[in-house]
Amino acid sequence: EGQTRRIYLEEISNPQGIISKDYCEKVNIRPREEILDIIENRSISCKIKRDDEYGDPYIQENDIFALCLVLSQNLQNFYELEITNHILNASQMSMLSSAIRTNHTLQRLILINNSIDDQGAQTLAIALQDNPNIKEINLSHKGNIWVQSCIENRIKDIGAESISLAVFSSTCDVVKINLSKNQIEQDFFGSVLKRKLRIICPNLLRKQAIQELDLSYNQYSADSIETLMRGASKSKTLKKLHLAVR
């Protein structure tokens, strides 16, 4: 594991490296099939999904290393990353977020049911703040008959605030956000939605670009709902707002 970690760090610092299946085998990284499909240009989407309760909810460190390695190469066919129904620990979220921060091709980031809490959301927010290419993020929880509570995303106010601040940064261009079925009580997006213009440089004004926002089934108070709706009513770009309540 130590050797794999060292090689991973060296590769990240060498953006001219060319990743391939042979290279992965050489450095003792064995990517799962979904990652190999990206490496060998067979797919634009990497979907690591667990579809039943009997599968291992933990993602192996080897798979996280491989994912970060692929993200660091900015492969033009890598458009979407989806990880569903797993447990992403703090270390894995940190590694993944660092790789996403410098990636230039990923546009959709779907992390449903991965035990993501405020710390994970804060780490990801830093990446989003510096990444102008991601257009959609989904950090929701989707329950079904077998989903265990240990994999529920449970983002609260601190994480939601971090995401909202990242979205309004001058470099972030996310247009679709899904934070449904988390544990958010206070609204942080109303103030973002109602801001009309932001200055990027003296000769350029840019409108905030959120077009679709899903905050359904959180723990919003009446005051928070009022704040959000007031901001939404003043937005020039918002097209869809989902706010179903429990």
Side-chain angles (χ1 to χ4, degrees):
E1 182 180 343
Q3 180 185 9
T4 303
R5 184 183 297 273
R6 185 171 60 254
I7 291 171
Y8 161 75
L9 292 173
E10 289 173 356
E11 184 64 21
I12 291 296
S13 65
N14 178 19
Q16 301 304 318
I18 299 175
I19 189 171
S20 66
K21 181 179 180 180
D22 291 341
Y23 175 83
C24 290
E25 292 177 352
K26 179 181 178 181
V27 298
N28 198 29
I29 297 177
R30 297 176 177 83
R32 58 197 297 159
E33 193 64 32
E34 298 92 335
I35 301 175
L36 278 176
D37 285 343
I38 296 293
I39 292 173
E40 299 187 344
N41 201 15
R42 294 194 298 260
S43 176
I44 64 171
S45 178
C46 179
K47 297 185 178 182
I48 301 175
K49 304 170 71 173
R50 185 170 66 103
D51 294 322
D52 62 72
E53 62 182 312
Y54 303 107
D56 185 358
Y58 293 93
I59 294 183
Q60 300 301 312
E61 290 297 312
N62 181 77
D63 291 326
I64 296 296
F65 289 148
L67 262 179
C68 291
L69 189 60
V70 173
L71 285 164
S72 74
Q73 300 304 301
N74 289 303
L75 301 179
Q76 294 301 312
N77 60 298
F78 198 178
Y79 172 82
E80 176 185 40
L81 173 60
E82 178 178 345
I83 303 176
T84 306
N85 296 333
H86 286 85
I87 294 175
L88 288 171
N89 62 40
S91 174
Q92 291 173 333
M93 279 297 296
S94 179
M95 289 177 60
L96 199 57
S97 296
S98 293
I100 289 170
R101 185 177 185 177
T102 56
N103 177 269
H104 306 307
T105 62
L106 201 66
Q107 294 191 34
R108 301 186 73 233
L109 180 62
I110 314 298
L111 300 176
I112 300 171
N113 295 357
N114 290 294
S115 193
I116 298 173
D117 56 10
D118 280 346
Q119 183 180 356
Q122 287 179 297
T123 302
L124 186 59
I126 294 172
L128 294 174
Q129 191 168 347
D130 291 334
N131 188 314
N133 303 289
I134 293 179
K135 307 300 180 186
E136 176 182 349
I137 55 170
N138 189 330
L139 303 176
S140 66
H141 162 65
K142 289 188 176 180
N144 58 42
I145 196 170
W146 65 267
V147 167
Q148 306 102 316
S149 60
C150 66
I151 66 172
E152 293 179 355
N153 285 349
R154 50 188 184 278
I155 298 169
K156 299 181 180 180
D157 289 353
I158 293 175
E161 182 178 22
S162 298
I163 295 292
S164 70
L165 292 173
V167 166
F168 200 72
S169 67
S170 62
T171 50
C172 182
D173 204 21
V174 171
V175 299
K176 185 175 181 179
I177 304 170
N178 189 337
L179 289 170
S180 63
K181 296 185 178 178
N182 277 279
Q183 300 173 20
I184 305 167
E185 298 181 7
Q186 186 176 348
D187 176 62
F188 298 98
F189 288 91
S191 59
V192 172
L193 290 170
K194 71 182 180 181
R195 297 179 192 177
K196 296 180 180 180
L197 297 171
R198 53 186 169 180
I199 299 175
I200 298 177
C201 64
N203 298 319
L204 179 60
L205 291 175
R206 176 184 176 190
K207 292 182 179 179
Q208 63 82 16
I210 299 177
Q211 297 178 13
E212 185 170 346
L213 177 62
D214 191 342
L215 294 167
S216 298
Y217 302 111
N218 276 281
Q219 300 173 9
Y220 267 42
S221 65
D223 288 343
S224 293
I225 292 174
E226 182 180 352
T227 301
L228 176 63
M229 296 306 296
R230 191 183 305 120
S233 68
K234 296 181 179 180
S235 171
K236 302 299 182 181
T237 60
L238 188 68
K239 298 178 180 178
K240 293 182 180 180
L241 174 63
H242 305 274
L243 195 61
V245 294
R246 299 181 188 276

